[in-house]
């Protein structure tokens, strides 16, 4: 972060950091629920949100001990909001686990080339789950195959055994900034996308703009 | 543990998003400001108006601690005007509310449900992204805060039908490339149309997949040839100079 970022942050808006994190988390959740492939794990954001949730839970535990009837309603509000946040975080993580489960080897490969894709616990889940699975396959039937046919990630013969998500799936998206021209590969289609435009388009065509934050999925 | 839902938001999830929209309330009781996870909530001092997220406003409303002021676009007058616009312009949705001025480049841009498009100060002439969900929820929980809830309900139903017809008619222009512009579409409408619209585009793409692959290869070849072509031209120039 350089001085310009800092200045912009101070002058840009008086919107509290918590609200901006909520917007960011909500956006990440929707994107993860909609996008066909696994997106990068928002490390810093999740750390902040989880820390706040932890503190809020502590607060609730303390206050329930007091049993002051006046603070009862305040506590209800705080707990309602806490549950909403927990739902967001949980649904976000579960949507990620679903994608990890459906294309484990592909995710592992992508993570190796880009180590910010998974959080440490997701990586641990993936590798251990995969180890258990391949151990199970090996002991139940793979060991009886000829050695050349035992691999699960064979790419010989031009066909990869590793399944990938369909990156050309159509997604609904909204432009947050002017994007300019978007080209759909393999067709004549070109579009001008401006701030506020909502369109249905292939994930592969807007992928880069979504990752840079110029377009959001809806 | 993995989420057993298909890609795309389900209606309850869209309603959950909509509950983050800000609405204006008139509190009936005092309440101190609270440090919430999504930012501090303002203190409530009757009879001063305050903007709160919808979930909190509904909670206060159910306990009769506040009244909700319906957004200006949710009045019979505005809805009638928007409905007229929708019926007159058969090929596009009515335009969405005007966007706030763009934020500086390196800050986080806000989008629905975090734009104040449903507070008492919102624009009266445009349907915001969560119009249907918000209207339904307010009519259900705070019907007594409307002047003419039955009329509003009827107009909302009318709007929904006109717009759904447009969404269905729009299916005719779908093709394998996608890229359909849908400015002004609502959150619930996206949720309803997603499976069908996405399915049609993906299906058409799979039918045309081999032709597209050919084209991709040809484009790539052309790019490479074009590039080597210019290199060839340079060579010619050099030869001329010699």
């Amino acid at each position: 972060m350089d001085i310009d970022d800092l200045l912009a942050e101070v002058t840009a808006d008086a919107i509290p950091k918590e609200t901006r994190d909520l917007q960011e988390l909500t956006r990440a959740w929707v994107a993860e629920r909609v996008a066909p492939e696994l997106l990068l794990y928002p490390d810093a954001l999740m750390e902040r949100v989880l820390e706040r949730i932890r503190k809020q839970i502590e607060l609730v535990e303390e206050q329930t001990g007091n049993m002051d009837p006046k603070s009862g309603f305040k506590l209800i509000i705080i707990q309602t909001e806490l549950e909403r946040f927990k739902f967001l975080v949980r649904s976000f993580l579960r949507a990620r686990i679903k994608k990890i489960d459906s294309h484990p080897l592909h995710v592992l490969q992508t993570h190796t080339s880009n180590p910010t894709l998974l959080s440490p616990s997701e990586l641990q889940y993936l590798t251990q789950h995969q180890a258990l699975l391949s151990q199970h396959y090996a002991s139940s039937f793979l060991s009886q195959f000829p050695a050349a046919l035992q691999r699960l990630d064979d790419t010989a013969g031009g066909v990869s055994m590793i399944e990938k998500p369909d990156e050309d799936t159509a997604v609904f998206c909204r432009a947050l900034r002017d994007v300019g021209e978007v080209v759909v590969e393999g067709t004549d289609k070109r579009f001008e996308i401006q701030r506020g435009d909502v369109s249905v388009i292939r994930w592969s065509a807007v992928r880069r703009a979504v990752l840079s934050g110029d377009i959001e999925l809806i | 543990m993995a989420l057993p839902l298909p890609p795309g938001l389900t209606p309850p999830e869209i309603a959950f998003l909509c509950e983050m929209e800000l609405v204006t309330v008139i509190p009936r009781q005092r309440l101190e400001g609270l440090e919430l996870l999504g930012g501090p909530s303002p203190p409530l001092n009757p009879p001063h108006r305050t903007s709160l997220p919808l979930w909190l406003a509904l909670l206060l409303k159910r306990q009769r601690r506040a009244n909700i002021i319906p957004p200006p676009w949710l009045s019979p007058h505005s809805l009638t005007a928007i409905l007229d616009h929708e019926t007159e312009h058969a090929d596009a949705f009515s335009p969405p509310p005007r966007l706030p001025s763009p934020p500086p480049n390196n800050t986080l841009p806000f989008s629905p449900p975090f734009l104040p498009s449903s507070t008492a100060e919102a624009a009266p002439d445009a349907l915001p992204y969560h119009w249907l969900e918000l209207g339904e929820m307010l009519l259900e929980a705070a019907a007594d805060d409307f002047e003419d809830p039955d009329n509003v309900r009827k107009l909302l139903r009318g709007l929904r039908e006109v717009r759904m017809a447009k969404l269905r008619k729009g299916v005719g222009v779908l093709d394998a490339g996608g890229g359909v512009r849908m400015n002004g579409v609502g959150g619930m409408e996206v949720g309803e149309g997603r499976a069908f619209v996405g399915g049609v585009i993906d299906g058409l793409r799979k039918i045309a997949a081999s032709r597209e692959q050919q084209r991709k290869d040809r484009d790539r070849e052309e790019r490479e040839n074009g590039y080597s072509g210019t290199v060839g031209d340079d060579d010619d120039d050099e030869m001329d100079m010699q």
Side-chain angles (χ1 to χ4, degrees), chain A residues 193-207:
Chain A
I193 295 190
Q194 281 168 354
R195 177 163 177 254
D197 281 352
V198 174
S199 33
V200 188
I201 199 162
R202 281 187 202 178
W203 166 242
S204 54
V206 291
R207 185 171 187 277

Side-chain angles (χ1 to χ4, degrees), chain B residues 13 32 45 56 99 105 114 118 125 148 174 180-181 196:
Chain B
E13 284 172 329
E32 299 163 36
N45 279 327
L56 182 51
L99 290 166
N105 257 340
F114 296 99
S118 297
D125 55 350
D148 190 359
L174 295 181
V180 189
R181 177 87 21 105
F196 187 67

Side-chain angles (χ1 to χ4, degrees), chain A residues 87-113:
Chain A
F87 168 79
L88 255 185
V89 170
R90 218 176 271 147
S91 181
F92 174 67
L93 294 178
R94 290 180 69 193
R96 291 179 61 86
I97 292 184
K98 184 187 181 187
K99 291 183 190 174
I100 295 176
D101 276 351
S102 46
H103 303 286
L105 294 172
H106 171 73
V107 170
L108 196 57
Q109 242 178 17
T110 332
H111 180 74
T112 326
S113 56

Side-chain angles (χ1 to χ4, degrees), chain B residues 26-42:
Chain B
I26 305 178
R28 293 182 176 187
Q29 282 183 9
R30 294 177 70 86
L31 185 72
E32 299 163 36
L34 293 171
E35 287 299 324
L36 294 179
L37 289 166
S41 84

Side-chain angles (χ1 to χ4, degrees), chain A residues 19 23 26-27 33 73 81 84 94 98 166 168 170 188-189 192 195 197-200 202 216 218, chain B residues 1 3 5 8 13 16 19 37-38 63 100 109 111 176 179-183 194 202 205 212 215:
Chain A
T19 315
Q23 160 79 80
T26 312
R27 195 170 281 160
R33 290 280 286 113
F73 184 62
E81 206 225 7
R84 291 178 62 86
R94 290 180 69 193
K98 184 187 181 187
D166 184 357
D168 285 339
D188 290 325
K189 294 245 169 183
E192 198 62 38
R195 177 163 177 254
D197 281 352
V198 174
S199 33
V200 188
R202 281 187 202 178
E216 70 170 340
I218 53 173
Chain B
M1 266 308 279
L3 202 63
L5 297 169
E13 284 172 329
F16 175 79
E19 281 170 358
L37 289 166
Q63 305 207 353
S111 62
V180 189
R181 177 87 21 105
M182 293 185 135
N183 288 3
R194 189 191 311 269
D202 289 343
R205 190 191 78 228
E212 220 174 83
R215 202 177 140 153

Side-chain angles (χ1 to χ4, degrees), chain B:
Chain B
M1 266 308 279
L3 202 63
L5 297 169
L9 300 179
T10 59
E13 284 172 329
I14 298 171
F16 175 79
L17 270 187
C18 173
E19 281 170 358
M20 299 182 191
E21 290 270 359
L22 285 181
V23 292
T24 305
V25 299
I26 305 178
R28 293 182 176 187
Q29 282 183 9
R30 294 177 70 86
L31 185 72
E32 299 163 36
L34 293 171
E35 287 299 324
L36 294 179
L37 289 166
S41 84
L44 302 183
N45 279 327
H48 292 288
R49 295 178 170 198
T50 317
S51 289
L52 294 176
L54 180 63
W55 64 266
L56 182 51
L58 289 177
L59 187 69
L60 294 172
K61 173 73 193 169
R62 281 200 199 100
Q63 305 207 353
R64 305 219 182 101
R65 292 173 198 258
N67 286 83
I68 301 177
I69 304 175
W73 53 265
L74 206 51
S75 69
H77 179 74
S78 300
L79 289 177
T80 317
I82 298 173
L83 183 56
D84 285 346
H85 185 278
E86 291 275 1
T87 25
E88 273 165 33
H89 300 75
D91 45 353
F93 294 119
S94 60
R98 206 171 303 120
L99 290 166
S101 57
N105 257 340
N106 38 18
T107 54
L108 181 79
F110 278 73
S111 62
F114 296 99
L115 294 176
S117 55
S118 297
T119 56
E121 285 81 42
D125 55 350
L127 294 179
Y129 184 63
H130 286 295
W131 66 275
L132 179 63
E133 309 84 292
L134 195 107
E136 294 281 336
M137 274 191 249
L138 284 188
L139 281 171
E140 195 213 310
D144 51 333
D145 290 336
F146 285 83
E147 273 172 29
D148 190 359
D150 290 336
N151 207 2
V152 171
R153 206 171 273 131
K154 201 180 84 198
L155 286 163
L156 276 185
R157 179 65 53 86
L159 271 170
R160 183 174 151 69
E161 275 175 19
V162 179
R163 291 167 61 100
M164 275 318 273
K166 284 184 192 175
L167 202 59
R168 276 196 294 268
K169 224 174 71 186
V171 170
V173 302
L174 295 181
D175 68 4
V180 189
R181 177 87 21 105
M182 293 185 135
N183 288 3
V185 75
M188 207 49 104
E189 289 156 341
V190 169
E192 275 172 300
R194 189 191 311 269
F196 187 67
V197 172
V200 170
I201 296 180
D202 289 343
L204 287 171
R205 190 191 78 228
K206 278 171 194 152
I207 294 172
S210 62
R211 200 188 313 151
E212 220 174 83
Q213 190 55 44
Q214 271 175 11
R215 202 177 140 153
K216 261 188 218 173
D217 294 344
R218 205 180 62 215
D219 283 356
R220 200 167 300 137
E221 237 167 63
E222 264 170 23
R223 259 203 306 275
E224 278 158 19
N225 289 344
Y227 183 64
S228 58
T230 50
V231 171
D233 288 347
D234 288 346
D235 286 348
D236 288 347
D237 289 346
E238 271 175 32
M239 275 164 72
D240 287 343
M241 274 155 70
Q242 282 171 353

